[in-house]
Amino acid sequence: MRGPFDVARQLDVLTGRGHVVSDIGRWLAAGGLAVAITSGAIAPAGLASAEPCPDVQVIFARGTFEASGLGAVGHAFTDSLRAKLPEKTVEVHPVAYPASLDFATAADGVVDASQEITNTVSRCPNTDIVLGGYSQGAAVAAYVTADAVPEGYILPPGITGPMPAAAAEHVAAVALFGKPSNEFLRMIHNSAPPLTVGSRYAGKTVDECLPEDPVCSPAGRDRGAHGAYPSSGLTDRAADYVVSKLM
């Protein structure tokens, strides 16, 4: 088991600076806060209701330390998606999970997102599902798509295995923003399974990563880039991609 100083030394390799492990949280949180300031309120809007079935159901997992709801990146993405689909009803489900520095609790988000997909397929089989996430939430979304449980990995409570193959047919698109690289993931939780989008979803996934973002790009050095997905236009671009999959 590596101690916080071991993690800090490895983080120094990525960033060129010496930071204690708690700076990882401030790093991830600062990106979300910066986006929230520029994009306005981040309280969830248009929450999914049982009736009637929407044309599109967005299931989105927020980033670390963002308040419960969609998070700023999730709001920017879904607002753009709604604007591009004026003739369709678009409802959202903010994934319920702690979004804390305890990365093991990301499993709570995998459980919630998987259950919401299953419930939507059962209740509204003609609804197109869009799965998404930002930062730690992008890891949650990616895990939901997994083809198989990694060998030797013990599943946490609430997860019995991968999503049923039939569920993938109802997921029209997956949108990921600032998904942690496996190098970054090993630093914050060295027992976490690697992040790989499953084969049933890979062909309909947009995985946005700014080259300067050290969370998703091993060559990145600009911590501020992690919160720049709306201002860089990448939430808009991802919405365009999703719309192309819905048509």
Side-chain angles (χ1 to χ4, degrees):
M1 178 68 69
R2 290 176 289 180
F5 293 105
D6 296 316
V7 176
R9 281 194 291 270
Q10 291 184 55
L11 183 59
D12 186 53
V13 173
L14 285 181
T15 65
R17 303 175 179 88
H19 296 284
V20 295
V21 68
S22 62
D23 278 352
I24 297 176
R26 285 194 291 271
W27 177 352
L28 296 174
L33 179 60
V35 177
I37 291 171
T38 58
S39 62
I42 61 173
L47 300 181
S49 57
E51 295 294 342
C53 289
D55 296 316
V56 180
Q57 175 72 56
V58 178
I59 300 169
F60 197 94
R62 71 196 190 280
T64 305
F65 288 163
E66 289 191 295
S68 295
L70 290 176
V73 173
H75 266 290
F77 169 65
T78 54
D79 286 351
S80 179
L81 194 60
R82 283 191 173 112
K84 297 174 190 298
L85 295 169
E87 303 303 319
K88 291 183 178 290
T89 54
V90 179
E91 301 292 348
V92 300
H93 172 82
V95 174
Y97 83 114
S100 70
L101 280 182
D102 183 3
F103 191 82
T105 62
D108 296 349
V110 177
V111 171
D112 184 77
S114 299
Q115 289 177 344
E116 183 62 20
I117 290 173
T118 301
N119 291 342
T120 301
V121 170
S122 174
R123 187 181 71 247
C124 302
N126 295 321
T127 292
D128 287 317
I129 298 171
V130 176
L131 176 65
Y134 162 62
S135 193
Q136 184 179 170
V140 167
Y143 282 138
V144 171
T145 72
D147 286 333
V149 178
E151 186 176 354
Y153 182 72
I154 299 174
L155 289 170
I159 301 176
T160 58
M163 288 287 296
E169 299 174 10
H170 297 266
V171 178
V174 180
L176 308 176
F177 304 92
K179 175 173 63 65
S181 67
N182 285 318
E183 293 86 350
F184 191 87
L185 187 61
R186 282 193 293 269
M187 285 195 309
I188 59 176
H189 192 68
N190 61 11
S191 63
L195 283 171
T196 304
V197 174
S199 60
R200 298 183 186 93
Y201 301 84
K204 48 189 173 184
T205 295
V206 56
D207 191 351
E208 299 287 12
C209 174
L210 286 165
E212 301 84 6
D213 180 355
V215 174
C216 60
S217 172
R221 294 293 182 269
D222 180 2
R223 290 183 292 168
H226 191 57
Y229 289 91
S231 61
S232 66
L234 293 188
T235 50
D236 242 5
R237 186 170 78 177
D240 283 332
Y241 175 87
V242 170
V243 169
S244 75
K245 294 298 182 181
L246 293 170
M247 296 305 182

